[in-house]
Structure formats: C-alpha cells, structure tokens
Amino acid sequence: MINKFTLFCLAIAAASSSAFAQTVVYYREGQAVDPQQVAQILNAHPIKTRSLRLLDQSGAPEAPAAKALSLPVHFAFDSATIASSARPQLDALASGIKMLPTTQTVVVEGHTDAVGTDAYNLALSQRRAAAVKQYLVSVHHIDAGRLKDVGYGEYRPIEGTDPLAPENRRVQFHGEQ
C-alpha cells in the first residue's frame, strides 16, 4: 500500500527528473575522477560556440555529452558517515566544482538500493546526500549555497539494473540550470 507521503515524494521525483533522463557517467570504486571532466559535466551553462558536428567512424553523430556523474560513495551500515575509501573521489569532485563559475549550483542526489522500506530508504538517501554536501563544505570550503542536497531513496535505480543491486547505492551530481 502506498501512502500519501510516498506518492508526494514520487511526484517530486518525477517533476525534478532533469538529471534522471540525461546521460550519466558512472565511476567505479577506486576509479580516478578527473576534475576537468567533473567541471565539464556539471557546468549547466557552458560557453556556447559555433562548431561543426563530427561523425564517428560509423557515420553516426557523437553521443550526447554527459550531464551528470555518479560516484559509489560508501557509508557505514545504516549510517550517513562517509567511508574513508570514498574521500579521494570526493576530493577530485570538489576540485572540479571549484573550477565552475561561482554562480553554478550543483545538486547532490542520494540514492539507495531497494532493500528496506520506501520511507527508510528515502530518509537514508537524504541523510547521505546531506553528509556529502557537508563534507564538500567543511573540508573543501565550497559555499553551501552552491550545493543542493536531495534524497531519492530507491526510486531512481540505474537503468537496466536490479533495484536490489549494490550499484544503486550511490551519490549522483548534476549542475542545476
């Protein structure tokens, strides 16, 4: 049975799904994060230039540029405490955010797998997104006003994965226009 709160959260998630429908770069645990690439992906207002559209070897246009990136940020069980193994990727992400214009807002999205109740996962994902935001603010001195944290719980699994898959436990970032 779905309660009113769950329906409300689903409506909010559907209404704010701009990054959900976009191309996302998924990093694996321990994979190096390039701050230049982070800045390019998160810049919602890139400088527009006139250019030719190149075709790849097959004659098809290039794939659309990524508009979001996803990190497998690990947390202690049933906690919003960031594991030390996640810090190098978050540090590189922070370097990329610092390259953006100071007016650029970055959305920090918390996601969970489908283990547990809807309400629990929604609250946990929000706490984890807030913890990542707090890390970026306290350790890297990024202005808190530039970061917006939101939790989606289990409602936005990675396309093509089992909702119970551990890959769905992630923190995703995108620039807000």
Side-chain angles (χ1 to χ4, degrees):
M1 181 172 136
I2 297 179
N3 61 29
K4 289 180 184 179
F5 177 73
T6 301
L7 287 174
F8 173 73
C9 292
L10 287 171
I12 289 173
S16 62
S17 64
S18 61
F20 186 61
Q22 297 172 344
T23 305
V24 179
V25 174
Y26 293 95
Y27 287 90
R28 292 186 195 92
E29 183 176 0
Q31 184 178 3
V33 175
D34 177 10
Q36 293 280 348
Q37 184 181 33
V38 168
Q40 182 181 18
I41 292 169
L42 298 180
N43 192 356
H45 303 288
I47 297 171
K48 296 189 182 207
T49 60
R50 292 179 187 229
S51 64
L52 296 173
R53 187 167 184 164
L54 300 176
L55 300 178
D56 68 12
Q57 297 290 351
S58 69
E62 290 180 2
K67 298 294 183 188
L69 63 101
S70 179
L71 299 178
V73 179
H74 289 273
F75 298 88
F77 179 75
D78 191 32
S79 166
T81 302
I82 299 169
S84 60
S85 63
R87 291 188 178 139
Q89 287 184 326
L90 290 174
D91 296 342
L93 174 91
S95 294
I97 291 172
K98 289 179 178 181
M99 293 177 191
L100 295 170
T102 57
T103 57
Q104 176 65 60
T105 300
V106 175
V107 179
V108 181
E109 300 178 353
H111 299 269
T112 67
D113 59 25
V115 176
T117 67
D118 294 352
Y120 176 82
N121 285 335
L122 196 58
L124 180 62
S125 67
Q126 177 59 52
R127 288 194 343 256
R128 289 179 171 178
V132 169
K133 175 182 175 178
Q134 182 57 39
Y135 177 83
L136 296 171
V137 169
S138 63
V139 174
H140 294 284
H141 310 290
I142 295 172
D143 178 12
R146 293 182 64 196
L147 303 171
K148 177 180 170 186
D149 57 304
V150 62
Y152 289 110
E154 62 191 69
Y155 297 114
R156 292 184 175 182
I158 297 171
E159 189 174 333
T161 65
D162 179 349
L164 300 171
E167 295 84 11
N168 289 308
R169 292 181 235 140
R170 68 196 192 282
V171 180
Q172 202 158 293
F173 305 86
H174 68 91
E176 185 172 71
Q177 297 193 31

